[in-house]
Amino acid sequence: MTRQQLKYKRKSVVNRKNALIDATLSLIASKGIKGATVRAIAQHANVTQGLIRYYFNTKEQLITAAYRHHMGRLTQVTFAPLNSMPEEGPATRLATFVASGLVPPVVDPGSLSVWASFINKVQNDKTMRETHRETYFEFRDCLEMLIREALVEAGKPASEEGLRQLAIATNAVIDGLWLEGGALPDAFERGELAVIGVRSVSAIIGIDLPEGKSDK
Amino acid sequence: MTRQQLKYKRKSVVNRKNALIDATLSLIASKGIKGATVRAIAQHANVTQGLIRYYFNTKEQLITAAYRHHMGRLTQVTFAPLNSMPEEGPATRLATFVASGLVPPVVDPGSLSVWASFINKVQNDKTMRETHRETYFEFRDCLEMLIREALVEAGKPASEEGLRQLAIATNAVIDGLWLEGGALPDAFERGELAVIGVRSVSAIIGIDLPEGKSDK
DNA sequence: CAATTGATTATACAAGTGTATAAAAATTGG
DNA sequence: CCAATTTTTATACACTTGTATAATCAATTG
């Protein structure tokens, strides 16, 4: 009584894990957390459901890994432009950083959906809460540094408390525009959010920032 | 073979519906959307699970009603202070409006969790998308009006396009601070978000707004 | 190329899910 | 106070969920 089994190709561990994580994020992005069942994930990744447990002891582990992956990608995409222009002045660097978080693929309904789906787990799971906290402060500290340098350059240095508040405010502008762009993608012109973001940050810290981010 | 049935009190339709909606929102706030099962909701509302279907044809209906209820409450709490001071000047009214959305119970982990839990459904369900759209533009249009009046008062009227962008930016500041306050409640002092919010909006629109919102 | 190891599939299972329906209790009207 | 109606409970059901395990196939290695 031999059972006929489908043919398959073996993949490396990281390939499989990434494929499963991608399938998970893709499903959460489109159908929410409820759409990310083990069976749906397996189907989306073109494997059978048993394989998931071979790579992840539990579904919770897969979900947690997917969250880290998503946040890591957001961070990476946002920081990349900054790292590729180490020789520019502080004002330009700050403007670039702000704008890079306000265009696709960071601003995106799916990206927002994934982030939102994890919020509750972040609040209840200690590990995820720590990941979230780190991501947030990584952003904010970077902003604070960029703002400090820009203010020094302009000859208007601020106090530590002042810097903290400016960083919180600037971060809020970015997060708020990111949120709105993801929640109502049709309500804004292309590139509009980035322009508004840079202009607002410019006003908040009291420094003229270069707006016309050359598309190259 | 008569079965022993528990005693109970009958309640009015609106009372029951509200109780079920409250239980739903409470569960979503603490345990996320997955925690809001019909059985858990019924237990939280001290009824048996069958009753839910008596008041709501389907669980989807209950969820949708809960979403409307939550958004309506947020709107109400934010607009209440504004409506209670119709005789104040535009600047004061704007500052009050901004600040009222940046203190509890609007800024709150549970409130954020509920909002986030619905984001995906909002993107996929036409009815909920419309509710969301209306809520957003109700806020933004109100902000735009307050900003317009404040600018006129200060003798710096802006163009329509300029006003639109200022409203988007101001709304983003509020949303961003709201989001951060709900996601990391321990990261900010009490009242800090409101102060930063008013100060930022002040800088963005270029008008001095009264900061010290008297606690009365 | 045979044998062993490791990856993948197939299948089963218990628990939880939303929904459906009949019985029982509470309320109302005559 | 009895009959009719509405609200609430109790129970059942089919389906989905995450997990567990054994069979089977692919790759590696000697």
Side-chain angles (χ1 to χ4, degrees):
Chain A
M1 183 72 161
T2 61
R3 40 182 180 181
Q4 188 82 348
Q5 195 169 297
L6 288 176
K7 307 305 167 88
Y8 60 89
K9 277 273 182 62
R10 296 169 87 167
K11 293 271 176 69
S12 76
V13 175
V14 296
N15 276 0
R16 264 307 181 226
K17 282 199 169 186
N18 277 340
L20 292 174
I21 288 174
D22 284 344
T24 304
L25 291 175
S26 168
L27 279 168
I28 295 179
S30 58
K31 302 183 185 176
I33 193 73
K34 288 180 82 171
T37 66
V38 287
R39 284 165 180 82
I41 294 169
Q43 189 172 8
H44 211 78
N46 279 109
V47 296
T48 52
Q49 60 159 322
L51 197 63
I52 290 179
R53 238 182 80 72
Y54 182 76
Y55 286 101
F56 299 92
N57 276 336
T58 169
K59 189 195 170 185
E60 191 70 15
Q61 278 188 22
L62 169 55
I63 295 291
T64 305
Y67 176 63
R68 255 199 308 274
H69 189 86
H70 181 69
M71 295 309 277
R73 191 168 44 190
L74 284 189
T75 303
Q76 191 181 335
V77 171
T78 310
F79 278 83
L82 193 65
N83 295 329
S84 73
M85 51 190 305
E87 301 306 331
E88 293 286 347
T92 302
R93 285 165 57 81
L94 176 55
T96 302
F97 184 73
V98 171
S100 67
L102 293 176
V103 292
V106 180
V107 169
D108 173 77
S111 178
L112 173 62
S113 185
V114 170
W115 178 88
S117 297
F118 282 115
I119 270 296
N120 181 260
K121 289 182 189 293
V122 165
Q123 294 181 346
N124 290 332
D125 182 298
K126 189 176 178 182
T127 305
M128 297 183 87
R129 190 162 56 244
E130 213 42 53
T131 301
H132 174 255
R133 196 179 190 82
E134 283 165 13
T135 305
Y136 171 72
F137 280 111
E138 184 180 1
F139 265 78
R140 206 177 90 182
D141 290 345
C142 178
L143 272 172
E144 188 171 318
M145 185 196 68
L146 290 170
I147 294 171
R148 175 187 289 113
E149 292 176 1
L151 287 176
V152 168
E153 184 193 41
K156 317 180 191 175
S159 68
E160 277 307 310
E161 181 54 25
L163 273 175
R164 171 187 145 86
Q165 295 201 351
L166 291 180
I168 292 173
T170 302
N171 195 54
V173 168
I174 298 172
D175 280 357
L177 291 172
W178 168 80
L179 187 156
E180 291 165 16
L184 283 173
D186 302 333
F188 308 96
E189 305 292 326
R190 194 158 59 86
E192 186 178 22
L193 294 175
V195 171
I196 295 178
V198 173
R199 204 171 286 172
S200 303
V201 171
S202 189
I204 289 174
I205 68 175
I207 290 180
D208 268 335
L209 297 181
E211 263 183 36
K213 184 188 163 217
S214 73
D215 290 81
K216 167 56 180 316
Chain B
M1 185 69 164
T2 61
R3 40 182 178 180
Q4 189 83 348
Q5 196 169 298
L6 288 177
K7 309 306 166 87
Y8 60 88
K9 277 273 185 63
R10 294 167 93 166
K11 293 268 177 72
S12 76
V13 175
V14 297
N15 275 1
R16 265 305 182 227
K17 282 199 168 183
N18 278 338
L20 292 174
I21 287 174
D22 284 345
T24 304
L25 291 174
S26 169
L27 278 168
I28 295 179
S30 58
K31 302 183 185 174
I33 194 74
K34 287 179 81 171
T37 68
V38 287
R39 284 164 180 80
I41 294 169
Q43 189 172 8
H44 212 77
N46 278 110
V47 296
T48 51
Q49 60 160 321
L51 197 62
I52 290 179
R53 238 183 81 72
Y54 182 76
Y55 286 102
F56 299 93
N57 274 337
T58 170
K59 189 195 172 187
E60 192 71 13
Q61 278 189 19
L62 168 56
I63 295 291
T64 305
Y67 175 63
R68 254 199 307 274
H69 190 88
H70 181 68
M71 296 309 277
R73 192 168 44 193
L74 284 189
T75 303
Q76 191 182 336
V77 171
T78 310
F79 278 83
L82 193 64
N83 294 329
S84 73
M85 51 190 302
E87 302 306 331
E88 294 285 347
T92 303
R93 284 164 58 83
L94 176 56
T96 302
F97 185 73
V98 171
S100 66
L102 293 175
V103 292
V106 179
V107 170
D108 173 76
S111 178
L112 174 63
S113 184
V114 169
W115 178 87
S117 296
F118 282 116
I119 270 296
N120 180 261
K121 289 182 187 294
V122 165
Q123 294 180 345
N124 289 333
D125 181 299
K126 189 176 178 184
T127 305
M128 297 183 86
R129 188 161 60 243
E130 213 42 53
T131 301
H132 174 256
R133 197 178 190 84
E134 283 167 12
T135 305
Y136 170 73
F137 281 111
E138 184 180 1
F139 265 77
R140 206 177 90 183
D141 290 345
C142 178
L143 272 172
E144 189 171 316
M145 184 197 67
L146 291 170
I147 294 170
R148 176 187 288 117
E149 292 176 0
L151 287 176
V152 169
E153 183 193 40
K156 317 180 190 176
S159 69
E160 277 307 308
E161 180 56 24
L163 272 176
R164 172 188 144 88
Q165 295 200 352
L166 292 180
I168 292 173
T170 302
N171 195 54
V173 168
I174 299 173
D175 280 357
L177 291 173
W178 169 80
L179 188 156
E180 290 165 15
L184 283 174
D186 302 332
F188 308 96
E189 305 292 326
R190 194 158 60 87
E192 186 178 21
L193 294 175
V195 171
I196 295 178
V198 173
R199 205 172 286 172
S200 303
V201 171
S202 189
I204 289 175
I205 68 175
I207 290 182
D208 268 335
L209 297 181
E211 263 184 36
K213 183 189 162 218
S214 71
D215 289 81
K216 167 54 184 314

